[in-house]
Amino acid sequence: MRTRRAEYSESTRQALVDSAVDLFTKRGYAGTSLDEVVKRARVTKGALYHHFSGKQALFEAAFAQVETQSIESLTAVITGEGDPWEIAVAGLRAYVRKCLDPEYQRIIVHEAPVVMGWERWREAEEHFSFGLLRAAVQLLVDAGEIEDLPVEIMARLLFGALSAGASTIASSSDPKRTGREVERAILRVLEGLRKK
């Protein structure tokens, strides 16, 4: 049974992360101060430093929260019942919708490679999303929907395409139109792998 103190500590941490997600989304990493984060979270700076070593650690917690929520919503789509091909297409569409989300665009696509460094960001992206994509590719292979090519290689190539698609959408002056174009292009690649 959790103590009241542990619950308070967790609610304080969550308030800080929620505040950080909101501010990093609106102002970016450089434009957000820790003073603003603690003010919005209604906690002291001491409480912030109790949970996080600094701004970078807080950003990484914000990143993890946004990624976790994204993966949970995508997992719900691709683990549903039904035709494997239709599930994969629904997963692609759900991913493109996620790429239109301002939190995802700003924190995951724009800020994270700079704040975390490209290598650390790619590791984190692989930790959160590569396994899900690999499972989706394996499902399509097992169902006989796509060619029986090496799953790991196909998943890595599609992962690169999806990452590039996310960057293209996030950098576009018309993200919705670009999202439709990215979805159509990646779907065409998948259809090229489909068994006739």
Side-chain angles (χ1 to χ4, degrees):
M1 192 168 157
R2 288 172 46 134
T3 66
R4 193 177 209 155
R5 182 182 187 121
E7 287 176 4
Y8 177 75
S9 179
E10 181 53 36
S11 69
T12 299
R13 185 185 189 287
Q14 190 59 54
L16 286 161
V17 174
D18 290 344
S19 174
V21 166
D22 188 49
L23 288 166
F24 290 144
T25 299
K26 290 177 181 166
R27 299 182 186 163
Y29 182 81
T32 298
S33 73
L34 290 179
D35 288 334
E36 291 172 299
V37 172
V38 297
K39 182 178 179 185
R40 179 170 290 218
R42 298 179 182 196
V43 300
T44 65
K45 217 164 189 180
L48 183 141
Y49 285 113
H50 173 74
H51 292 281
F52 303 102
S53 59
K55 192 174 175 181
Q56 169 106 20
L58 180 60
F59 178 86
E60 291 192 19
F63 173 93
Q65 178 169 298
V66 172
E67 273 288 37
T68 298
Q69 290 168 348
S70 299
I71 293 306
E72 286 171 356
S73 67
L74 292 172
T75 299
V77 173
I78 72 156
T79 58
E81 293 292 320
D83 176 77
W85 181 259
E86 294 303 319
I87 289 171
V89 171
L92 171 61
R93 290 187 175 129
Y95 176 74
V96 169
R97 279 194 308 275
K98 184 52 65 180
C99 290
L100 295 171
D101 179 335
E103 284 181 1
Y104 192 87
Q105 282 185 6
R106 187 71 180 254
I107 293 173
I108 306 303
V109 179
H110 283 303
E111 298 287 336
V114 175
V115 176
M116 298 166 71
W118 195 86
E119 194 170 304
R120 171 88 176 90
W121 170 69
R122 290 302 289 176
E123 285 174 12
E125 282 288 271
E126 286 218 7
H127 167 75
F128 282 101
S129 48
F130 180 73
L132 184 62
L133 177 60
R134 189 184 189 292
V137 171
Q138 186 70 61
L139 180 72
L140 289 172
V141 169
D142 291 347
E145 289 286 344
I146 62 175
E147 295 293 328
D148 189 9
L149 297 167
V151 171
E152 184 76 15
I153 292 170
M154 278 197 298
R156 291 210 174 275
L157 292 172
L158 288 171
F159 185 71
L162 291 168
S163 294
S167 293
T168 304
I169 292 166
S171 300
S172 174
S173 60
D174 187 351
K176 286 184 180 177
R177 178 184 53 77
T178 303
R180 288 190 299 272
E181 291 170 352
V182 165
E183 180 182 314
R184 193 167 59 244
I186 293 176
L187 186 54
R188 187 73 182 99
V189 169
L190 285 174
E191 285 168 349
L193 295 169
R194 200 169 188 192
K195 287 183 177 178
K196 305 297 182 216

